[in-house]
Amino acid sequence: MVKYREDVDAVLRALADPTRRAVVERLAKGPAIVSALGEPFAMTLPALMQHLRILEEAGIVTSQKVGRSRTVSLRPGALDVLHLWLDGQRTPAERQADRLGIHLSRTTPHPPKETP
Amino acid sequence: MVKYREDVDAVLRALADPTRRAVVERLAKGPAIVSALGEPFAMTLPALMQHLRILEEAGIVTSQKVGRSRTVSLRPGALDVLHLWLDGQRTPAERQADRLGIHLSRTTPHPPKETP
């Protein structure tokens, strides 16, 4: 439980910064080398590395040195802890709507395929 | 698009603080009056009000004065913008797994109900 709270805290603190969010958005498309990651931002390499360190410590990204360049990737399932926390904050009315939706999806037959 | 980015930013900044997250967790169970909300925390009323102001400005909570006390509620759908942002950060492999899951849920017949 303590671990879960610490993970939620680290992920939210990491994502509260717009530059780090932009890095995550870029990496969702695929891995990138550090120099390419920095291109859209007017910042020094040490500043970018500091952002990457915070993302890595929060378990959101991983990096790997290949030859002379370092490749950064989004860690699969890295944001699951935040999905989990968000699901816990649904109000009773939202939970009721969820249950209704699940019930309808199970009991409503799929419409027949249209014939051309 | 700018509005969306601003909303994501405000929600994540608001949730990056553990006290504000604890307030959200409490309000997910139902509305509460300000004095009751403050009870679990060793903080002054002005400090609590400041946290509530940040949550209200981020559109996460609403408050209403009834008689002499102020009631705070979680705004339904307040965290939808964060769900939306998170969904956008799924990696290509995760998207493929999602599509497979949707396909299986559509093509796999439900098991027959067990007879007692």
Side-chain angles (χ1 to χ4, degrees):
Chain A
M1 193 64 182
V2 172
K3 176 76 172 66
Y4 165 70
R5 292 211 170 266
E6 282 173 2
D7 289 350
V8 171
D9 197 59
V11 166
L12 280 168
R13 279 176 199 271
L15 296 180
D17 180 272
T19 301
R20 291 196 288 271
R21 275 203 306 283
V23 168
V24 169
E25 287 168 6
R26 165 62 193 82
L27 293 176
K29 299 190 184 101
I33 59 171
V34 170
S35 56
L37 263 185
E39 269 168 23
F41 311 108
M43 67 168 69
T44 61
L45 184 63
L48 175 66
M49 293 305 286
Q50 170 70 2
H51 282 306
L52 291 177
R53 197 181 57 79
I54 292 170
L55 286 169
E56 196 155 1
E57 283 179 3
I60 298 173
V61 309
T62 53
S63 72
Q64 203 179 3
K65 195 153 187 173
V66 181
R68 279 165 59 191
S69 57
R70 180 168 287 276
T71 302
V72 188
S73 320
L74 208 58
R75 202 168 62 75
L79 302 172
D80 286 357
V81 71
L82 193 47
H83 276 288
L84 201 66
W85 186 82
L86 279 174
D87 287 343
Q89 312 323 316
R90 301 182 83 74
T91 61
E94 286 171 325
R95 282 176 204 285
Q96 198 168 12
D98 287 349
R99 281 195 298 273
L100 178 66
I102 290 166
H103 175 74
L104 288 176
S105 74
R106 281 182 181 159
T107 54
T108 311
H110 293 293
K113 277 195 181 149
E114 278 175 42
T115 45
Chain B
M1 191 64 180
V2 171
K3 177 74 171 68
Y4 165 70
R5 291 206 172 270
E6 281 173 2
D7 288 349
V8 171
D9 197 57
V11 167
L12 280 169
R13 278 177 200 271
L15 296 179
D17 179 273
T19 301
R20 291 195 288 271
R21 276 203 306 283
V23 168
V24 170
E25 288 169 5
R26 165 61 192 83
L27 293 176
K29 298 190 185 103
I33 58 171
V34 170
S35 55
L37 263 186
E39 270 168 21
F41 310 109
M43 66 167 68
T44 61
L45 185 64
L48 176 65
M49 294 305 288
Q50 171 69 2
H51 282 307
L52 291 177
R53 197 180 57 76
I54 292 170
L55 286 169
E56 196 155 1
E57 282 178 5
I60 298 173
V61 308
T62 54
S63 72
Q64 203 180 359
K65 196 152 187 173
V66 181
R68 281 164 60 191
S69 58
R70 181 167 287 276
T71 301
V72 188
S73 320
L74 208 58
R75 203 168 62 75
L79 302 172
D80 287 358
V81 71
L82 193 47
H83 276 288
L84 201 67
W85 186 82
L86 279 173
D87 286 344
Q89 311 323 317
R90 301 183 82 76
T91 62
E94 286 171 325
R95 283 176 204 284
Q96 197 168 11
D98 288 348
R99 282 195 297 274
L100 178 65
I102 290 167
H103 175 73
L104 288 177
S105 73
R106 281 183 180 159
T107 54
T108 310
H110 292 292
K113 279 196 181 149
E114 276 176 43
T115 45

